[in-house]
Amino acid sequence: MTDIAGAIARQRHYLSLWKRHADRDTIRQAWSIGYADPGSTAPFGDPPDPTDRHTATSLTRAVADTRWIHRGACLACPWEGEERARRDEAIEDAHDHTHPGWRDLAIFERSRTGKAGAVWARHVRAVYPDRWFEAGGPLRLYVDPPFDRHEPGAAPGGGFILYTARPKKPQPDGVQLLLV
Ligand SMILES: [Zn+2]
């Protein structure tokens, strides 16, 4: 099993365990592509095809009855990230591999619809690197916590939306005084 690396090879192995009716724990403890992440398949589906360009996804496996670990991975090459407790951290690692520099991009509020939305979209494209979305690059948006799921396929070119918790507004002094 040590010769298996990369999202495609691991998903292939995972699906072969299902086909061979391996026992439940063996299946749960094998790395597979995270639920609904790029390249994920139904247990009896076909393995995904490799992509032409580096494409971020996640791998996950059970390490105990209720605990799962995650790591970033790529659908074009055997790259894999460090093991992480949270899937979103793994997805962020994967973007360090597929779209270096994403952590320096501007973070936007979600667009409004209609005419204002079109202006917003033009603004985002003007601020982000040229042809960023055409290269499958992620869009960074603020969101109110709690949240725990970067959204695959939701950026303008089909890449991820990567969420960042909106900074909390400082409490007015009066409110803090009341709490003391
Ligand atoms: Zn890659």
Side-chain angles (χ1 to χ4, degrees):
M1 203 161 148
T2 48
D3 58 336
I4 298 173
I8 302 269
R10 291 205 191 270
Q11 189 72 358
R12 224 174 254 287
H13 176 70
Y14 172 78
L15 294 172
S16 78
L17 293 175
W18 274 95
K19 274 201 188 101
R20 278 187 266 144
H21 303 288
D23 66 86
R24 175 180 173 273
D25 282 346
T26 304
I27 291 176
R28 282 162 47 86
Q29 288 164 16
W31 289 105
S32 67
I33 294 175
Y35 173 74
D37 275 341
S40 65
T41 56
F44 295 100
D46 293 322
D49 289 325
T51 52
D52 292 336
R53 64 175 178 224
H54 298 287
T55 302
T57 190
S58 78
L59 290 166
T60 185
R61 76 181 193 91
V63 289
D65 246 14
T66 56
R67 200 163 80 82
W68 295 76
I69 52 170
H70 311 268
R71 69 200 307 184
C74 179
L75 291 178
C77 76
W79 177 88
E80 292 180 343
E82 300 290 313
E83 292 181 6
R84 300 289 193 182
R86 292 177 52 241
R87 173 264 190 184
D88 275 0
E89 293 176 302
I91 291 292
E92 290 169 13
D93 290 343
H95 282 87
D96 290 337
H97 165 74
T98 61
H99 294 86
W102 74 268
R103 290 177 193 268
D104 299 323
L105 294 176
I107 308 170
F108 291 93
E109 295 290 340
R110 189 177 279 284
S111 80
R112 281 166 290 175
T113 51
K115 210 170 169 188
V119 171
W120 177 90
R122 272 202 301 280
H123 175 66
V124 171
R125 282 183 182 276
V127 170
Y128 274 33
D130 204 24
R131 299 191 60 75
W132 178 259
F133 294 118
E134 287 74 7
L139 170 63
R140 302 191 69 191
L141 293 182
Y142 281 120
V143 68
D144 284 318
F147 71 97
D148 67 349
R149 191 147 177 98
H150 294 320
E151 212 177 330
F160 273 81
I161 290 181
L162 300 177
Y163 290 108
T164 297
R166 185 177 292 114
K168 280 204 185 98
K169 291 197 182 86
Q171 296 283 341
D173 286 351
V175 174
Q176 276 172 7
L177 282 174
L178 285 175
L179 293 174
V180 170

